[in-house]
Amino acid sequence: MSESAITLWSDAEYFSPYVLSAYVALHEKGLPFTLKTVDLDSGAQRAPNWPGFNLTQRVPVLEIEGFELSESTAIDEYLEERFAPPEWERIYPLDLQKRARARQIQAWLRSDLMSIREERSTTVVFAGAKKAPLSAAGQASAAKLFAIAGELLAHDKPNLFGEWCIADVDLALMLNRLVLNGDSVPERLADYATFQWQRSSVQRFVALSAKRAG
């Protein structure tokens, strides 16, 4: 698979947590790809000549051999099936129930905890922004996150399922919205998020946003 065969479209600032998930999936699979950006602030995603226009008009968008796909979990799952183990690295657990749980976690993080996402935007994670104290709704969302994440990580292992999977990135991102803002986070969960953030594929993406900001 040549680099020219796969393109991943990102927001121009590299602030999207969903682009992060797809970007990490491609790197973990060892797939060469071209990274392109669309300026969301100027509304370029609504231009008919952009590949994502006829999809969701959102990033990420994956282009591969004439096929275009949006929504990060759809991209992650497509890459896992299209470039399947053992020839390619695994990004979801092998066990059926664990794989289903990983997908559940991804779906939950994208559909819930709205107050955290609103009050701790990814400018905290990727640009070092600092936000005001959480509202009552934000505190309630944080308590829910801590309770569920604590249960998922009750085994005291560094990854959700004993070995890394793509859901670890998504969960760490949500926790780091709080950790990197300096909010109070249970030590075990903060350590987990910090550990996950050091993964080389994640740091590659973090470097992109840092370079853009610089």
Side-chain angles (χ1 to χ4, degrees), residues 68-148:
E68 297 163 355
L69 184 67
S70 63
E71 299 300 313
S72 58
T73 50
I75 291 171
D76 292 346
E77 291 177 19
Y78 173 77
L79 292 172
E80 182 76 329
E81 294 179 13
R82 170 67 175 79
F83 302 97
E87 182 179 359
W88 305 91
E89 292 297 320
R90 183 178 300 282
I91 61 172
Y92 283 97
L94 174 62
D95 178 79
L96 179 63
Q97 292 185 352
K98 290 180 179 178
R99 190 160 66 250
R101 184 73 70 204
R103 288 169 171 162
Q104 172 197 310
I105 292 166
Q106 287 187 294
W108 168 59
L109 292 169
R110 284 159 173 75
S111 61
D112 198 359
L113 309 173
M114 183 60 72
S115 294
I116 294 176
R117 288 188 279 153
E118 289 178 348
E119 298 181 34
R120 297 290 181 268
S121 72
T122 53
T123 59
V124 170
V125 178
F126 298 121
K130 298 298 180 184
K131 303 292 184 178
L134 289 170
S135 67
Q139 292 175 28
S141 284
K144 181 178 183 179
L145 172 62
F146 299 157
I148 295 174

Side-chain angles (χ1 to χ4, degrees), residues 40-210:
L40 304 183
D41 290 339
S42 70
Q45 71 274 22
R46 295 186 291 274
N49 62 339
W50 180 56
F53 175 76
N54 292 323
L55 299 172
T56 59
Q57 299 181 23
R58 303 196 299 182
V59 293
V61 169
L62 180 76
E63 290 184 272
I64 176 168
E65 297 177 334
F67 176 61
E68 297 163 355
L69 184 67
S70 63
E71 299 300 313
S72 58
T73 50
I75 291 171
D76 292 346
E77 291 177 19
Y78 173 77
L79 292 172
E80 182 76 329
E81 294 179 13
R82 170 67 175 79
F83 302 97
E87 182 179 359
W88 305 91
E89 292 297 320
R90 183 178 300 282
I91 61 172
Y92 283 97
L94 174 62
D95 178 79
L96 179 63
Q97 292 185 352
K98 290 180 179 178
R99 190 160 66 250
R101 184 73 70 204
R103 288 169 171 162
Q104 172 197 310
I105 292 166
Q106 287 187 294
W108 168 59
L109 292 169
R110 284 159 173 75
S111 61
D112 198 359
L113 309 173
M114 183 60 72
S115 294
I116 294 176
R117 288 188 279 153
E118 289 178 348
E119 298 181 34
R120 297 290 181 268
S121 72
T122 53
T123 59
V124 170
V125 178
F126 298 121
K130 298 298 180 184
K131 303 292 184 178
L134 289 170
S135 67
Q139 292 175 28
S141 284
K144 181 178 183 179
L145 172 62
F146 299 157
I148 295 174
E151 197 61 35
L152 290 168
L153 295 166
H155 49 57
D156 285 330
K157 295 178 181 177
N159 302 307
L160 281 165
F161 304 106
E163 59 181 2
W164 180 89
C165 79
I166 193 67
D168 282 301
V169 173
D170 296 317
L171 180 56
L173 183 284
M174 185 61 75
L175 288 166
N176 271 331
R177 291 175 186 265
L178 301 165
V179 172
L180 296 176
N181 191 68
D183 295 300
S184 179
V185 177
E187 183 177 4
R188 181 163 59 91
L189 300 183
D191 289 346
Y192 163 82
T194 300
F195 174 77
Q196 294 297 331
W197 219 240
Q198 297 312 306
R199 198 167 184 89
S200 62
S201 55
V202 175
Q203 283 299 303
R204 283 172 180 256
F205 188 83
V206 171
L208 291 173
S209 54

